Amino acid sequence: MTVSAHLTEWHGLPVFDFPDAKSTTELPAAAEAAWRIAVDPYDDDPEKWPAAFARFLAAVDTTEVTALIVGQWGEAYDVSVDIVVEALTAARDRFPALRALFIGDITFEQAEITWIEQGDITPLLDAFPDLLAFGVRGGQNLAFPAVAHQSLRTLIVEAGGLGADVVRGIGASEFPELEHLDIWLGTSWYGADATVDDLEPFLTGTRLPKLQHLALRNSDIQDDVAAALAGAPVVARLHTLDLSMGTLGNEGVEALLGGQPLTHLRKLDLHHHFIGEPLADRLLAELTADGVEVDLSGREAADRGREDRYTAVSE
Protein backbone atom coordinates (compact mmCIF):
# COMPACT_ATOMS: atom_id res chain seq x y z
CA MET A 1 0.00 0.00 0.00
CA THR A 2 1.15 3.52 -0.76
CA VAL A 3 -0.39 6.97 -0.44
CA SER A 4 -2.04 6.83 -3.83
CA ALA A 5 -4.78 9.44 -3.60
CA HIS A 6 -5.11 13.03 -2.52
CA LEU A 7 -7.41 14.13 0.24
CA THR A 8 -10.96 14.59 -1.01
CA GLU A 9 -12.30 16.03 2.23
CA TRP A 10 -10.71 17.99 5.04
CA HIS A 11 -12.40 19.38 8.14
CA GLY A 12 -15.77 18.30 6.80
CA LEU A 13 -15.40 20.20 3.54
CA PRO A 14 -14.85 18.98 -0.03
CA VAL A 15 -11.39 19.69 -1.37
CA PHE A 16 -11.06 22.20 -4.20
CA ASP A 17 -7.81 22.59 -6.11
CA PHE A 18 -6.90 26.22 -6.56
CA PRO A 19 -6.41 26.43 -10.34
CA ASP A 20 -3.30 27.53 -12.18
CA ALA A 21 -2.91 31.02 -13.59
CA LYS A 22 -4.24 30.06 -17.04
CA SER A 23 -7.45 28.46 -15.79
CA THR A 24 -10.89 30.05 -16.10
CA THR A 25 -12.46 27.71 -13.54
CA GLU A 26 -15.06 29.39 -11.38
CA LEU A 27 -14.07 29.50 -7.73
CA PRO A 28 -16.44 28.39 -4.96
CA ALA A 29 -17.26 30.57 -1.99
CA ALA A 30 -14.27 30.78 0.32
CA ALA A 31 -15.97 29.04 3.26
CA GLU A 32 -17.43 26.21 1.18
CA ALA A 33 -14.22 24.36 0.33
CA ALA A 34 -11.01 23.02 1.77
CA TRP A 35 -8.56 24.76 -0.55
CA ARG A 36 -5.57 22.84 -1.86
CA ILE A 37 -2.69 24.91 -3.17
CA ALA A 38 -0.12 22.93 -5.15
CA VAL A 39 2.24 23.37 -8.07
CA ASP A 40 3.61 21.01 -10.69
CA PRO A 41 7.40 21.38 -10.88
CA TYR A 42 7.42 19.43 -14.14
CA ASP A 43 5.30 21.89 -16.13
CA ASP A 44 7.03 23.50 -19.10
CA ASP A 45 6.99 26.80 -17.22
CA PRO A 46 6.55 25.75 -13.59
CA GLU A 47 5.08 28.18 -11.09
CA LYS A 48 6.75 28.48 -7.71
CA TRP A 49 4.57 27.70 -4.70
CA PRO A 50 4.93 31.15 -3.11
CA ALA A 51 3.69 32.69 -6.38
CA ALA A 52 0.68 30.35 -6.44
CA PHE A 53 -0.05 31.25 -2.84
CA ALA A 54 0.16 34.96 -3.66
CA ARG A 55 -2.41 34.45 -6.43
CA PHE A 56 -4.62 32.64 -3.94
CA LEU A 57 -4.41 35.55 -1.51
CA ALA A 58 -5.44 37.92 -4.30
CA ALA A 59 -8.29 35.80 -5.66
CA VAL A 60 -10.00 34.41 -2.55
CA ASP A 61 -11.51 36.09 0.48
CA THR A 62 -9.12 34.42 2.90
CA THR A 63 -10.93 35.88 5.92
CA GLU A 64 -13.59 33.24 5.21
CA VAL A 65 -11.26 30.27 4.59
CA THR A 66 -11.59 27.62 7.31
CA ALA A 67 -9.62 24.72 5.80
CA LEU A 68 -6.38 24.79 3.84
CA ILE A 69 -4.25 22.04 2.29
CA VAL A 70 -0.73 22.38 0.94
CA GLY A 71 0.04 19.91 -1.82
CA GLN A 72 3.23 19.64 -3.84
CA TRP A 73 5.33 22.76 -3.31
CA GLY A 74 8.12 21.85 -5.73
CA GLU A 75 10.31 18.82 -6.25
CA ALA A 76 9.49 17.41 -2.83
CA TYR A 77 12.75 15.46 -2.50
CA ASP A 78 14.76 18.64 -3.11
CA VAL A 79 12.72 21.66 -1.98
CA SER A 80 12.15 22.03 1.76
CA VAL A 81 8.78 22.85 3.27
CA ASP A 82 10.38 25.99 4.71
CA ILE A 83 9.08 28.07 1.78
CA VAL A 84 5.55 27.07 2.73
CA VAL A 85 6.02 27.69 6.44
CA GLU A 86 7.47 31.13 5.76
CA ALA A 87 4.66 32.13 3.38
CA LEU A 88 1.87 30.93 5.66
CA THR A 89 3.26 32.47 8.82
CA ALA A 90 3.78 35.78 7.03
CA ALA A 91 0.11 35.71 5.98
CA ARG A 92 -1.28 34.63 9.34
CA ASP A 93 -3.38 37.78 9.75
CA ARG A 94 -5.13 37.04 6.44
CA PHE A 95 -6.69 33.84 7.86
CA PRO A 96 -8.67 34.70 11.01
CA ALA A 97 -11.15 31.84 10.39
CA LEU A 98 -8.61 29.10 9.61
CA ARG A 99 -9.33 25.99 11.68
CA ALA A 100 -7.72 23.13 9.72
CA LEU A 101 -4.33 22.92 7.99
CA PHE A 102 -2.69 19.95 6.26
CA ILE A 103 0.89 20.12 4.96
CA GLY A 104 2.11 17.65 2.35
CA ASP A 105 -0.89 16.19 0.53
CA ILE A 106 1.48 14.47 -1.88
CA THR A 107 0.93 11.06 -3.48
CA PHE A 108 3.57 8.46 -4.29
CA GLU A 109 3.39 9.40 -7.98
CA GLN A 110 4.65 12.86 -7.04
CA ALA A 111 7.10 11.75 -4.36
CA GLU A 112 7.41 8.74 -2.09
CA ILE A 113 6.48 9.60 1.48
CA THR A 114 10.08 9.29 2.71
CA TRP A 115 11.31 11.67 0.01
CA ILE A 116 9.19 14.60 1.13
CA GLU A 117 11.54 17.24 2.49
CA GLN A 118 9.92 18.52 5.63
CA GLY A 119 11.37 20.78 8.31
CA ASP A 120 10.24 22.44 11.52
CA ILE A 121 6.49 22.82 11.07
CA THR A 122 5.69 23.97 14.62
CA PRO A 123 5.85 27.70 13.69
CA LEU A 124 2.52 27.05 11.97
CA LEU A 125 0.97 26.00 15.28
CA ASP A 126 2.29 29.18 16.86
CA ALA A 127 1.01 31.28 13.95
CA PHE A 128 -2.51 29.85 14.04
CA PRO A 129 -3.57 29.46 17.68
CA ASP A 130 -7.21 28.75 16.74
CA LEU A 131 -6.46 25.64 14.66
CA LEU A 132 -8.60 22.64 15.49
CA ALA A 133 -6.94 20.17 13.08
CA PHE A 134 -3.35 19.95 11.89
CA GLY A 135 -1.79 17.30 9.67
CA VAL A 136 1.58 16.71 8.07
CA ARG A 137 2.87 14.02 5.69
CA GLY A 138 6.53 13.10 5.31
CA GLY A 139 9.25 12.45 7.87
CA GLN A 140 12.43 13.48 6.06
CA ASN A 141 14.05 16.17 8.24
CA LEU A 142 10.73 16.71 10.01
CA ALA A 143 11.18 18.60 13.27
CA PHE A 144 8.60 18.93 16.02
CA PRO A 145 10.05 20.60 19.08
CA ALA A 146 7.69 20.66 22.05
CA VAL A 147 4.95 23.27 21.70
CA ALA A 148 1.81 24.32 23.51
CA HIS A 149 -1.45 24.78 21.65
CA GLN A 150 -4.67 25.46 23.52
CA SER A 151 -7.19 24.71 20.75
CA LEU A 152 -5.95 21.75 18.70
CA ARG A 153 -8.28 18.75 18.69
CA THR A 154 -6.81 16.62 15.88
CA LEU A 155 -3.13 15.98 15.12
CA ILE A 156 -2.03 13.71 12.25
CA VAL A 157 1.60 12.88 11.45
CA GLU A 158 2.09 10.49 8.52
CA ALA A 159 5.53 9.06 7.81
CA GLY A 160 7.31 6.02 6.43
CA GLY A 161 9.90 6.46 9.14
CA LEU A 162 9.57 8.89 12.03
CA GLY A 163 12.55 9.98 14.08
CA ALA A 164 12.47 9.49 17.83
CA ASP A 165 13.13 13.20 18.31
CA VAL A 166 9.84 13.99 16.56
CA VAL A 167 7.95 11.45 18.67
CA ARG A 168 9.48 12.88 21.84
CA GLY A 169 8.65 16.42 20.76
CA ILE A 170 5.00 15.56 20.20
CA GLY A 171 4.90 13.68 23.49
CA ALA A 172 6.36 16.66 25.38
CA SER A 173 3.87 19.11 23.83
CA GLU A 174 0.89 20.52 25.70
CA PHE A 175 -2.38 19.82 23.86
CA PRO A 176 -5.11 20.10 26.52
CA GLU A 177 -7.97 19.90 23.97
CA LEU A 178 -6.57 17.13 21.75
CA GLU A 179 -9.10 14.36 21.11
CA HIS A 180 -7.63 12.60 18.05
CA LEU A 181 -3.95 11.68 17.72
CA ASP A 182 -2.73 9.71 14.68
CA ILE A 183 0.99 8.95 14.36
CA TRP A 184 2.54 6.76 11.66
CA LEU A 185 5.76 5.60 13.30
CA GLY A 186 7.13 3.83 10.23
CA THR A 187 10.03 1.44 9.78
CA SER A 188 13.68 1.54 10.76
CA TRP A 189 14.58 1.08 7.09
CA TYR A 190 13.47 4.68 6.58
CA GLY A 191 14.60 6.31 9.78
CA ALA A 192 12.14 5.19 12.45
CA ASP A 193 14.06 4.81 15.69
CA ALA A 194 11.50 5.50 18.40
CA THR A 195 11.10 2.90 21.13
CA VAL A 196 8.16 2.10 23.38
CA ASP A 197 9.81 4.25 26.05
CA ASP A 198 9.43 7.25 23.73
CA LEU A 199 5.68 6.59 23.58
CA GLU A 200 5.23 6.86 27.35
CA PRO A 201 3.51 10.29 27.26
CA PHE A 202 0.84 8.88 24.93
CA LEU A 203 0.42 5.74 27.03
CA THR A 204 -0.18 7.66 30.24
CA GLY A 205 -2.10 10.46 28.51
CA THR A 206 -1.18 12.92 31.23
CA ARG A 207 -0.71 15.81 28.80
CA LEU A 208 -3.70 14.69 26.73
CA PRO A 209 -6.62 14.81 29.16
CA LYS A 210 -9.30 14.76 26.44
CA LEU A 211 -7.80 12.12 24.12
CA GLN A 212 -10.40 9.67 22.79
CA HIS A 213 -8.88 8.37 19.53
CA LEU A 214 -5.30 7.08 19.64
CA ALA A 215 -3.54 5.72 16.55
CA LEU A 216 0.04 4.51 16.90
CA ARG A 217 0.35 2.70 13.62
CA ASN A 218 2.29 1.82 10.46
CA SER A 219 5.07 0.60 12.75
CA ASP A 220 7.60 -2.21 12.64
CA ILE A 221 7.49 -2.42 16.45
CA GLN A 222 3.72 -2.92 16.50
CA ASP A 223 3.82 -5.98 18.80
CA ASP A 224 5.79 -4.00 21.37
CA VAL A 225 3.38 -1.07 21.07
CA ALA A 226 0.41 -3.41 21.59
CA ALA A 227 2.04 -4.97 24.65
CA ALA A 228 2.65 -1.54 26.15
CA LEU A 229 -0.96 -0.50 25.50
CA ALA A 230 -2.26 -3.64 27.23
CA GLY A 231 -1.69 -1.94 30.55
CA ALA A 232 -1.56 1.73 29.53
CA PRO A 233 -3.76 4.11 31.57
CA VAL A 234 -4.88 6.04 28.49
CA VAL A 235 -6.76 3.07 27.01
CA ALA A 236 -9.55 3.18 29.58
CA ARG A 237 -10.81 6.53 28.24
CA LEU A 238 -10.45 5.88 24.52
CA HIS A 239 -13.30 5.13 22.16
CA THR A 240 -10.95 4.18 19.28
CA LEU A 241 -7.61 2.37 19.39
CA ASP A 242 -5.78 2.06 16.09
CA LEU A 243 -2.78 -0.27 15.69
CA SER A 244 -3.26 -0.77 11.97
CA MET A 245 -0.88 -0.76 8.99
CA GLY A 246 2.02 -2.25 10.93
CA THR A 247 3.63 -5.58 11.74
CA LEU A 248 1.18 -6.68 14.44
CA GLY A 249 1.19 -10.43 14.98
CA ASN A 250 0.09 -13.03 17.50
CA GLU A 251 2.41 -11.77 20.22
CA GLY A 252 0.85 -8.33 20.24
CA VAL A 253 -2.72 -9.62 20.18
CA GLU A 254 -2.04 -12.09 23.01
CA ALA A 255 -0.77 -9.17 25.07
CA LEU A 256 -3.90 -7.16 24.33
CA LEU A 257 -6.18 -10.05 25.23
CA GLY A 258 -4.28 -10.68 28.44
CA GLY A 259 -4.30 -7.04 29.48
CA GLN A 260 -6.96 -4.58 30.55
CA PRO A 261 -10.50 -4.86 29.16
CA LEU A 262 -11.12 -3.43 25.70
CA THR A 263 -14.87 -3.94 25.64
CA HIS A 264 -15.52 -0.23 26.24
CA LEU A 265 -14.03 0.65 22.86
CA ARG A 266 -16.21 1.57 19.92
CA LYS A 267 -13.53 0.46 17.47
CA LEU A 268 -10.28 -1.50 17.44
CA ASP A 269 -8.55 -1.03 14.10
CA LEU A 270 -5.92 -3.65 13.25
CA HIS A 271 -6.15 -3.70 9.45
CA HIS A 272 -2.98 -4.84 7.65
CA HIS A 273 -1.71 -7.37 10.18
CA PHE A 274 0.08 -10.71 10.59
CA ILE A 275 -2.28 -12.35 13.10
CA GLY A 276 -3.07 -16.05 12.79
CA GLU A 277 -6.66 -17.01 12.08
CA PRO A 278 -7.34 -18.82 15.40
CA LEU A 279 -6.24 -15.82 17.44
CA ALA A 280 -8.08 -13.41 15.15
CA ASP A 281 -11.26 -15.46 15.66
CA ARG A 282 -10.79 -15.34 19.43
CA LEU A 283 -10.30 -11.59 19.37
CA LEU A 284 -13.44 -11.12 17.32
CA ALA A 285 -15.47 -13.40 19.58
CA GLU A 286 -14.39 -11.61 22.75
CA LEU A 287 -14.89 -8.06 21.54
CA THR A 288 -17.70 -8.05 19.00
CA ALA A 289 -20.01 -9.70 21.52
CA ASP A 290 -19.79 -6.42 23.45
CA GLY A 291 -20.39 -4.29 20.38
CA VAL A 292 -16.80 -3.37 19.57
CA GLU A 293 -16.13 -2.87 15.86
CA VAL A 294 -12.94 -4.78 15.05
CA ASP A 295 -11.20 -4.26 11.70
CA LEU A 296 -9.03 -7.27 10.86
CA SER A 297 -8.99 -6.74 7.11
CA GLY A 298 -5.80 -7.10 5.13
CA ARG A 299 -4.36 -10.22 6.78
CA GLU A 300 -0.83 -10.95 5.62
CA ALA A 301 1.05 -14.24 6.00
CA ALA A 302 0.80 -14.96 9.72
CA ASP A 303 3.78 -17.32 9.73
CA ARG A 304 6.25 -14.55 8.91
CA GLY A 305 8.77 -13.80 11.63
CA ARG A 306 9.10 -10.23 12.84
CA GLU A 307 12.07 -9.61 10.58
CA ASP A 308 10.06 -10.60 7.51
CA ARG A 309 6.98 -8.46 8.17
CA TYR A 310 6.43 -5.07 6.60
CA THR A 311 4.47 -1.93 7.24
CA ALA A 312 1.71 -0.84 4.88
CA VAL A 313 3.48 2.41 3.99
CA SER A 314 7.27 2.54 4.02
CA GLU A 315 9.23 4.21 1.23
Side-chain angles (χ1 to χ4, degrees):
M1 174 181 149
T2 56
V3 180
S4 57
H6 290 292
L7 295 172
T8 58
E9 182 181 275
W10 177 234
H11 199 56
L13 292 169
V15 174
F16 180 82
D17 284 298
F18 183 64
D20 61 36
K22 299 174 183 177
S23 175
T24 59
T25 300
E26 184 177 350
L27 304 181
E32 294 180 357
W35 296 83
R36 180 165 46 228
I37 307 171
V39 297
D40 185 351
Y42 305 108
D43 276 348
D44 292 336
D45 185 19
E47 183 178 30
K48 302 295 186 182
W49 194 90
F53 183 60
R55 285 194 302 104
F56 177 78
L57 294 177
V60 176
D61 180 3
T62 57
T63 65
E64 298 293 325
V65 172
T66 61
L68 195 62
I69 298 168
V70 176
Q72 194 169 22
W73 55 78
E75 294 183 334
Y77 56 84
D78 187 45
V79 180
S80 164
V81 76
D82 292 349
I83 61 169
V84 171
V85 174
E86 291 169 5
L88 286 172
T89 54
R92 68 183 78 185
D93 294 337
R94 303 283 298 274
F95 293 91
L98 190 66
R99 297 296 180 266
L101 178 60
F102 191 97
I103 306 296
D105 185 20
I106 297 170
T107 69
F108 81 98
E109 291 181 337
Q110 296 170 316
E112 299 286 358
I113 194 169
T114 55
W115 299 0
I116 301 172
E117 278 290 339
Q118 287 289 349
D120 184 356
I121 44 81
T122 56
L124 294 170
L125 290 171
D126 292 332
F128 299 102
D130 294 324
L131 280 182
L132 301 178
F134 183 67
V136 60
R137 180 178 299 154
Q140 180 72 12
N141 292 318
L142 180 65
F144 203 112
V147 294
H149 197 286
Q150 301 305 310
S151 302
L152 200 67
R153 296 179 186 175
T154 296
L155 176 62
I156 301 168
V157 181
E158 300 176 351
L162 204 57
D165 55 338
V166 175
V167 176
R168 295 184 197 117
I170 298 171
S173 295
E174 299 289 342
F175 297 127
E177 297 297 318
L178 199 72
E179 300 172 354
H180 182 122
L181 178 63
D182 185 354
I183 300 177
W184 297 12
L185 295 166
T187 171
S188 59
W189 284 98
Y190 293 102
D193 57 358
T195 67
V196 168
D197 289 342
D198 297 317
L199 303 178
E200 187 269 343
F202 313 126
L203 304 179
T204 63
T206 304
R207 290 192 177 90
L208 304 170
K210 294 190 177 181
L211 193 68
Q212 299 177 20
H213 179 124
L214 176 60
L216 298 171
R217 55 180 177 151
N218 197 51
S219 171
D220 61 4
I221 59 167
Q222 207 74 68
D223 278 336
D224 298 332
V225 175
L229 282 163
V234 72
V235 172
R237 52 186 168 86
L238 299 178
H239 65 59
T240 300
L241 178 59
D242 187 341
L243 301 176
S244 66
M245 299 171 58
T247 60
L248 186 68
N250 288 347
E251 180 182 339
V253 172
E254 287 169 351
L256 287 174
L257 288 171
Q260 63 188 301
L262 300 176
T263 52
H264 66 287
L265 293 173
R266 296 179 195 168
K267 183 171 184 177
L268 177 64
D269 191 343
L270 306 179
H271 79 269
H272 179 88
H273 62 87
F274 296 81
I275 306 166
E277 189 170 353
L279 198 57
D281 289 344
R282 179 186 162 197
L283 183 69
L284 285 171
E286 292 194 15
L287 295 186
T288 58
D290 287 289
V292 182
E293 178 187 350
V294 181
D295 187 346
L296 282 167
S297 61
R299 175 184 286 121
E300 304 293 337
D303 58 349
R304 286 178 179 264
R306 277 198 183 194
E307 67 282 358
D308 294 322
R309 300 177 195 169
Y310 48 87
T311 57
V313 176
S314 53
E315 185 181 9

